[in-house]
Amino acid sequence: GAVVSQHPSRVICKSGTSVKIECRSLDFQATTMFWYRQFPKQSLMLMATSNEGSKATYEQGVEKDKFLINHASLTLSTLTVTSAHPEDSSFYICSARDGNRGTYEQYFGPGTRLTVT
Amino acid sequence: AQSVTQPDIHITVSEGASLELRCNYSYGATPYLFWYVQSPGQGLQLLLKYFSGDTLVQGIKGFEAEFKRSQSSFNLRKPSVHWSDAAEYFCAAILSGSARQLTFGSGTQLTVLP
């Protein structure tokens, strides 16, 4: 149980285009989802926290107009990288918290490798 | 400032040897503590967690961790390492805040020699 999927696993896009990454909780209701960014050989950096049906809370330094997060349902959150540039190339990982378990554990997706050319 | 520290960036051990990965936290109260493992190009897999109770926690893949309040530590151990254990290991904690966000350490890269 507690499986989180991400789609796509890899994406290559041209500079200036937008890319959408989906994060789904497959067997539980994710009241809270988190989006992280990870640079090579570095730790995870929290970008934003989203609760179902409300606006995401972005961490300091994360451009909310560039990284659009939507958490429209209890099983789906999306991250859209708008007007992508090469410096946005990174590994993006989502996680989800099961609102019915009453614990603070997060379940992580497998990640999405974004390459902007 | 509240933080999670993994002092060892890279550790190399021989297959069959014991392993200990260090993790320290800086926080006034007892945090919720986690160890995750990440293989190259993959997401994070939870090895074990500590919320309260018994300070020696057993996890998957033969790993265990011990919470020591006096040392603000939560070190990960395995008595006999397998080549498949080579990966990046992250210690994480929920320190404070209503959002209960995870704070990650910088990670320890484990190399296993044959």
Side-chain angles (χ1 to χ4, degrees):
Chain A
V3 178
V4 176
S5 70
Q6 276 185 249
H7 178 79
S9 58
R10 291 178 178 270
V11 57
I12 300 173
C13 70
K14 293 187 176 181
S15 186
T17 62
S18 295
V19 173
K20 179 183 285 187
I21 302 170
E22 293 186 348
C23 176
R24 294 182 183 272
S25 57
L26 299 185
D27 51 3
F28 65 97
Q29 293 184 331
T31 51
T32 305
M33 286 186 164
F34 304 85
W35 285 95
Y36 297 85
R37 183 173 181 177
Q38 186 180 31
F39 291 103
K41 298 190 183 299
Q42 294 190 24
S43 188
L44 281 72
M45 180 191 77
L46 180 65
M47 299 175 66
T49 302
S50 70
N51 292 297
E52 185 265 338
S54 59
K55 289 184 178 180
T57 301
Y58 290 81
E59 294 301 299
Q60 192 172 9
V62 178
E63 299 176 60
K64 60 182 66 177
D65 293 331
K66 180 167 194 57
F67 298 100
L68 301 179
I69 292 172
N70 184 284
H71 190 171
S73 79
L74 284 171
T75 60
L76 174 64
S77 176
T78 60
L79 167 67
T80 301
V81 183
T82 62
S83 186
H85 288 94
E87 57 265 30
D88 298 324
S89 298
S90 191
F91 193 54
Y92 293 88
I93 303 176
C94 73
S95 70
R97 181 179 293 151
D98 185 342
N100 292 324
R101 290 198 177 199
T103 69
Y104 301 124
E105 187 171 344
Q106 293 180 26
Y107 303 98
F108 285 82
T112 297
R113 172 75 58 194
L114 170 63
T115 303
V116 184
T117 60
Chain B
Q2 300 170 355
S3 64
V4 177
T5 302
Q6 292 180 247
D8 305 305
I9 297 173
H10 193 180
I11 283 184
T12 300
V13 298
S14 297
E15 190 169 18
S18 63
L19 171 71
E20 181 170 30
L21 302 182
R22 296 184 290 166
C23 174
N24 295 93
Y25 64 89
S26 173
Y27 183 52
T30 299
Y32 299 118
L33 296 161
F34 307 82
W35 273 101
Y36 291 91
V37 61
Q38 184 181 34
S39 297
Q42 303 295 316
L44 273 67
Q45 181 181 23
L46 179 67
L47 289 175
L48 46 78
K49 61 190 176 189
Y50 173 78
F51 288 171
S52 64
D54 193 345
T55 56
L56 184 62
V57 181
Q58 301 297 320
I60 63 171
K61 302 185 178 186
F63 286 94
E64 67 177 26
E66 186 172 12
F67 170 65
K68 292 186 177 180
R69 186 192 307 275
S70 61
Q71 298 178 18
S72 298
S73 69
F74 188 57
N75 294 348
L76 181 72
R77 301 193 295 247
K78 186 169 184 177
S80 178
V81 171
H82 189 263
W83 64 266
S84 60
D85 293 324
E88 185 86 18
Y89 291 80
F90 292 99
C91 180
I94 294 176
L95 298 172
S96 69
S98 58
R100 296 291 187 262
Q101 297 165 349
L102 276 172
T103 297
F104 282 90
S106 53
T108 298
Q109 178 69 46
L110 174 66
T111 297
V112 181
L113 300 177

